[in-house]
Amino acid sequence: MNVLILLVIFGILAYLALATFSSYVANRDEPDEMSEDMEPWTCPECGFAVQAGLICIYCQTTKPAPDGNH
């Protein structure tokens, strides 16, 4: 009976280790899609310096698209 309990515990721990490792492998190479959202910008309507996000918290203006002249 003690051997069965140890095998069940070992099986659960092995499953958790495998799930953690496979999640790590699946997510480590994905690029960060939030980089544009985290760049500071100045709202063209009210002049507020938005530190992060795509919408001004004061006037609800959406962040303008990059002009591409760089």
Side-chain angles (χ1 to χ4, degrees):
M1 186 67 170
N2 290 337
V3 174
L4 181 61
I5 293 173
L6 287 175
L7 286 175
V8 169
I9 291 173
F10 179 74
I12 291 172
L13 291 175
Y15 173 77
L16 291 175
L18 182 63
T20 302
F21 179 73
S22 64
S23 176
Y24 169 74
V25 169
N27 293 324
R28 69 180 171 163
D29 293 332
E30 293 181 12
D32 185 15
E33 299 295 332
M34 298 289 289
S35 61
E36 183 179 335
D37 295 351
M38 299 307 289
E39 293 179 7
W41 57 283
T42 303
C43 178
E45 294 293 321
C46 68
F48 178 71
V50 180
Q51 294 180 358
L54 298 176
I55 298 176
C56 177
I57 62 171
Y58 288 111
C59 66
Q60 304 303 316
T61 302
T62 305
K63 181 179 180 179
D67 56 3
N69 291 335
H70 298 272

